[in-house]
Amino acid sequence: CRPVTVILLSVVLGLLYSGTLTKVGLLPWLAKIDTRTQGLIPGFVSDIESTFHFDHVPQGALDGKVALVTGANSGLGYWTAYHLARKGATVVMACRNPQTCEAAASWVRGNATLDGANGQIFTRTVDMGSLASVAAF
């Protein structure tokens, strides 16, 4: 049963990333009939724009909320922390390296408050690849 599952999963992922499902029109069709897929489909279909943007979240909508963002010193985690802080959330930026985490947090603090947000930024050190580090977190 396992080899068949692996083969089927490989075929599905291959079809998704090859663009075949887009060329035959399946993914654009799916994105139009089911709004729940609109956040996922643009990752595979370049001509469909995502309907979500952080600017759609009202200012202050996240006041009093706490968000833990892992990998927050770069990439998706960095920008997620920034946008959550912009909307008023208290953000805990969790990173492996405390120096790069503090540098990223300093930038987020300085720029997120330009929008009048009152969210706080905290940094914590954690290595998500180490269970001991996660347990100590």
Side-chain angles (χ1 to χ4, degrees), residues 4-19:
V4 172
T5 305
V6 171
I7 291 170
L8 287 175
L9 183 60
S10 299
V11 169
V12 168
L13 289 175
L15 286 171
L16 282 173
Y17 286 107
S18 70

Side-chain angles (χ1 to χ4, degrees), residues 3 10-12 19 21 35 37 43 65 70 81 90 99 107 130:
S10 299
V11 169
V12 168
L21 297 178
T35 57
T37 63
K65 306 290 184 192
T70 59
T90 297
Q99 290 81 21
W107 186 90
S130 164

Side-chain angles (χ1 to χ4, degrees), residues 3-133:
V4 172
T5 305
V6 171
I7 291 170
L8 287 175
L9 183 60
S10 299
V11 169
V12 168
L13 289 175
L15 286 171
L16 282 173
Y17 286 107
S18 70
T20 303
L21 297 178
T22 302
K23 291 174 190 164
V24 298
L26 180 64
L27 290 180
W29 173 77
L30 183 61
K32 289 177 183 155
I33 65 162
D34 190 350
T35 57
R36 294 174 297 174
T37 63
Q38 288 179 348
L40 300 173
I41 299 300
F44 300 106
V45 182
S46 60
D47 61 335
I48 297 176
E49 291 187 27
S50 176
T51 57
F52 174 79
H53 194 277
F54 263 104
D55 290 335
H56 297 146
V57 178
Q59 191 62 34
L62 300 178
D63 287 350
K65 306 290 184 192
V66 177
L68 171 64
V69 182
T70 59
N73 62 313
S74 65
L76 289 174
Y78 179 77
W79 290 106
T80 300
Y82 167 71
H83 285 290
L84 289 169
R86 262 186 64 210
K87 297 302 179 177
T90 297
V91 179
V92 178
M93 297 175 69
C95 315
R96 278 186 293 225
N97 184 317
Q99 290 81 21
T100 59
C101 195
E102 191 52 49
S106 176
W107 186 90
V108 170
R109 281 186 197 106
N111 290 287
T113 56
L114 294 176
D115 293 333
N118 59 355
Q120 295 180 307
I121 309 292
F122 299 98
T123 61
R124 294 285 305 270
T125 303
V126 64
D127 181 359
M128 297 303 288
S130 164
L131 289 177
S133 177

